[in-house]
Amino acid sequence: MDPSRSPVGDGAPRRPEASDTPFGAPAPVHDLVGVGLGPFNLSLAALADRVPGLRSVFLEAKPEFSWHPGLMIEGARMQVPFLADLVSLVDPTSPWSFLAYLRDHDRLFPFYFSEQWHLTRREYADYCRWAATRLPNCQFDSPVKAVRWNTERELFEVEVPGHEPYLARHLVLGVGTEPVVPPAFTELLATAGPVLHSGEYLTSPRSPLTLARGTDNDGGLGVLDDITVVGSGQSGAEVFLDLLRRRGPVGGPRLRWITRSAALAPMEYSKLGLEHFTPDYTRYFHTLPEPVRDALVPRQWQLYKAASAETLAAIHEALYERSAVGGGPDVEIVPGTEVLAARRGPHGGLELDCAHPQSAAQYTLRTDLALLATGYVARRPALLDPVDHLVDWDAKGRYRVDLDYRVGLWPEVTAGLYVQNAELHTHGVGTPDLGLGAHRAAVILNAVCAQVLGRPVHRLPRATAWTTFGRPDSARDLAADRLLVPAVDHQARAGRGRTPTAREHVEHSAPERPAALVHP
């Protein structure tokens, strides 16, 4: 298949890109420049591609689209339905949808008969790669080193080595997140000790799979005697399950699974529970005072950090099958346990000092390799250093992000800076969820187009959940002498009046009430 083909029409020509500008010509001004090309900025690129008159470009350092290559485990599936693709929940008619990808590969009928609601992770990555190679506003091998503010021209300058600075009226950061490494393992990981993050499970030279290659055990795990997985989210569960399956029915290394969580509880997946991943909940969460938001997110771990019930069931099944054929389990699953310190053992491997608070037990474990399935976190990218003083950081050094995902800047900066997947503290648990990716991209695009073109371009739904988050519309104010707890009006303290309801936010959000549409 010709990778230059566009699904808009067979043989459709590619639009000229910024790199096609004749040598010596003035650098063009882009209405929108995206930095990073993971699924979220790719979604924005796909939606922006269909907006007439909008000039956009998205820059990625890697030579091609790549999404968690170290976790492309055989059979691992997405935790969101296939409709949570780049565009469908905003524009189902888009040529960049997953169904359009299937049609382009002549797989619509096989997919129809497969009755698969959740894609494999490999197929989702291939779908994103398909879109990224065809979208004319996506540029790879374009590492952004710095962003500067041009006061005279009132534009962002985006610096890429070997290229004139890209000039941007609006900038969107989709630079992804970075692995979280517990303090006990930081030094070992930095010195190439027998530790690796789960994001490198299939790709690191220290992976048990890489270490086993070239031995006489047919690629099994016999080269190691003991492997410990730390962390019980979806990645930890998938890695542990994969190790169980690769170990075979008998023999192999001892496997251990440690987590600080008190129990291996599955991710909340009830239909009403999933309404926390709707724009309605995002709007509600954004109205809450900062201290309330900061306290609420950690308590909602089971909404977005736990493993799926299907993966946990598969782990139990694998353990049972091994016991049924006479193979000892040689497995330790240890919840409620924290690794306090880790060091190289005197005879190789690692020694892990652990604590189990419930029983007040403290002990040491020996293992050959620790796999850290300890998640990811958004961090401030170094490319913002030249404009760091222009960002209105909160007291904890985080972005202040408005409802349209625009970062607070000092008044002298008139252009817009937006973020994707860096606003968990302001927008809640739906921030990293792919199911909200297209909607967030459309909100950003509407905000940009309202300024650049004078109108938003996508009609977004007014209501997306049956649940009322916060005060019901039918409620009446409680008389002062009947208050059960002292009333604290955080919004009034800030000079903004009563906390608006989710419905009021929708009704008064200009970008979500377009005057014109790209598609009628």
Side-chain angles (χ1 to χ4, degrees):
M1 186 180 300
D2 181 0
S4 67
R5 232 179 85 198
S6 168
V8 176
D10 292 348
R14 290 174 64 88
R15 183 186 308 156
E17 300 175 357
S19 58
D20 299 325
T21 303
F23 181 77
V29 176
H30 289 85
D31 302 311
L32 177 63
V33 172
V35 180
L37 268 171
F40 293 136
N41 257 4
L42 186 59
S43 175
L44 181 56
L47 291 173
D49 175 63
R50 303 194 76 195
V51 180
L54 183 75
R55 184 157 197 159
S56 66
V57 65
F58 292 79
L59 309 171
E60 168 58 48
K62 298 172 186 172
E64 62 180 3
F65 180 86
S66 178
W67 182 67
H68 295 302
L71 284 171
M72 292 296 155
I73 298 170
E74 181 74 31
R77 292 192 173 273
M78 304 292 290
Q79 291 181 285
V80 292
F82 73 89
L83 284 176
D85 62 11
L86 300 173
V87 292
S88 288
L89 290 177
V90 169
D91 181 8
T93 68
S94 170
W96 305 113
S97 70
F98 176 72
L99 292 180
Y101 156 82
L102 289 178
R103 182 181 182 275
D104 199 43
H105 289 77
D106 295 329
R107 290 214 311 271
L108 268 173
F109 273 94
F111 180 77
Y112 166 57
F113 291 123
S114 73
E115 298 184 355
Q116 294 292 345
W117 186 235
H118 293 83
L119 308 177
T120 65
R121 195 173 291 156
R122 289 179 177 177
E123 186 172 28
Y124 176 80
D126 189 66
Y127 154 64
C128 289
R129 192 176 302 110
W130 166 84
T133 57
R134 288 159 174 77
L135 277 164
N137 55 0
C138 292
Q139 293 185 192
F140 293 87
D141 281 319
S142 301
V144 174
K145 298 301 182 183
V147 171
R148 304 184 189 278
W149 175 243
N150 187 316
T151 304
E152 182 179 342
R153 300 192 65 180
E154 296 188 319
L155 297 168
F156 284 117
E157 294 181 347
V158 183
E159 297 183 359
V160 175
H163 194 286
E164 287 293 316
Y166 291 86
L167 304 178
R169 292 189 175 94
H170 298 278
L171 186 68
V172 182
L173 299 181
V175 294
T177 51
E178 298 178 9
V180 172
V181 179
F185 295 97
T186 303
E187 184 177 347
L188 284 166
L189 195 63
T191 58
V195 178
L196 71 145
H197 195 270
S198 61
E200 299 180 290
Y201 174 61
L202 297 178
T203 55
S204 171
R206 299 192 298 279
S207 165
L209 311 184
T210 306
L211 291 172
R213 294 189 186 117
T215 66
D216 58 359
N217 65 351
D218 297 323
L221 303 173
V223 70
L224 299 171
D225 295 324
D226 191 289
I227 302 173
T228 299
V229 177
V230 180
S232 59
Q234 183 65 16
S235 295
E238 288 177 352
V239 167
F240 188 70
L241 175 60
D242 190 61
L243 290 170
L244 280 174
R245 289 171 170 170
R246 290 177 184 272
R247 191 174 63 164
V250 293
R254 171 183 290 275
L255 300 179
R256 185 180 298 106
W257 193 11
I258 294 178
T259 176
R260 290 186 304 175
S261 300
L264 294 171
M267 181 174 290
E268 167 59 42
Y269 209 75
S270 67
K271 290 178 174 57
L272 289 177
L274 288 175
E275 291 195 341
H276 285 83
F277 300 95
T278 59
D280 278 12
Y281 183 75
T282 299
R283 287 187 287 264
Y284 161 75
F285 184 89
H286 195 270
T287 68
L288 299 175
E290 182 180 306
V292 176
R293 296 196 303 249
D294 287 347
L296 184 56
V297 170
R299 297 203 302 265
Q300 295 177 319
W301 65 271
Q302 208 168 339
L303 287 170
Y304 73 112
K305 282 188 172 182
S308 70
E310 292 79 8
T311 307
L312 294 176
I315 289 172
H316 190 277
E317 182 179 354
L319 292 171
Y320 180 80
E321 287 181 355
R322 185 176 171 93
S323 70
V325 296
D330 292 329
V331 165
E332 291 177 341
I333 299 177
V334 192
T337 298
E338 183 173 5
V339 179
L340 302 177
R343 59 188 173 275
R344 296 177 188 266
H347 306 293
L350 291 173
E351 290 183 347
L352 309 178
D353 294 340
C354 303
H356 186 265
Q358 289 183 9
S359 63
Q362 296 189 24
Y363 50 85
T364 299
L365 295 170
R366 191 216 163 269
T367 189
D368 291 318
L369 178 72
L371 284 160
L372 308 180
T374 44
Y376 298 82
V377 67
R379 293 193 174 95
R380 187 184 307 182
L383 60 89
L384 282 185
D385 287 350
V387 295
D388 182 274
H389 63 290
L390 298 175
V391 179
D392 183 21
W393 306 103
D394 73 8
K396 295 183 178 180
R398 304 171 300 190
Y399 301 111
R400 298 185 192 273
V401 188
D402 73 10
L403 197 57
D404 291 337
Y405 304 95
R406 185 167 179 165
V407 172
L409 302 173
W410 291 104
E412 57 263 38
V413 183
T414 54
L417 173 65
Y418 299 82
V419 290
Q420 299 218 64
N421 199 16
E423 69 284 359
L424 180 66
H425 59 292
T426 57
H427 288 65
V429 294
T431 295
D433 191 79
L434 291 172
L436 277 172
H439 184 274
R440 173 173 52 201
V443 170
I444 294 172
L445 189 61
N446 276 351
V448 169
C449 289
Q451 297 186 53
V452 174
L453 304 178
R455 69 187 192 282
V457 292
H458 285 288
R459 182 181 65 83
L460 299 178
R462 289 176 173 272
T464 54
W466 298 116
T467 306
T468 297
F469 300 104
R471 174 183 170 133
D473 290 341
S474 61
R476 296 181 299 168
D477 290 337
L478 196 63
D481 60 351
R482 298 182 60 190
L483 290 179
L484 304 178
V485 294
V488 179
D489 192 338
H490 297 274
Q491 299 292 334
R493 284 185 176 181
R496 287 175 287 178
R498 181 176 62 82
T499 302
T501 65
R503 177 174 295 178
E504 287 172 329
H505 262 296
V506 176
E507 291 176 350
H508 294 95
S509 178
E512 303 219 4
R513 301 183 66 189
L517 303 175
V518 173
H519 316 295

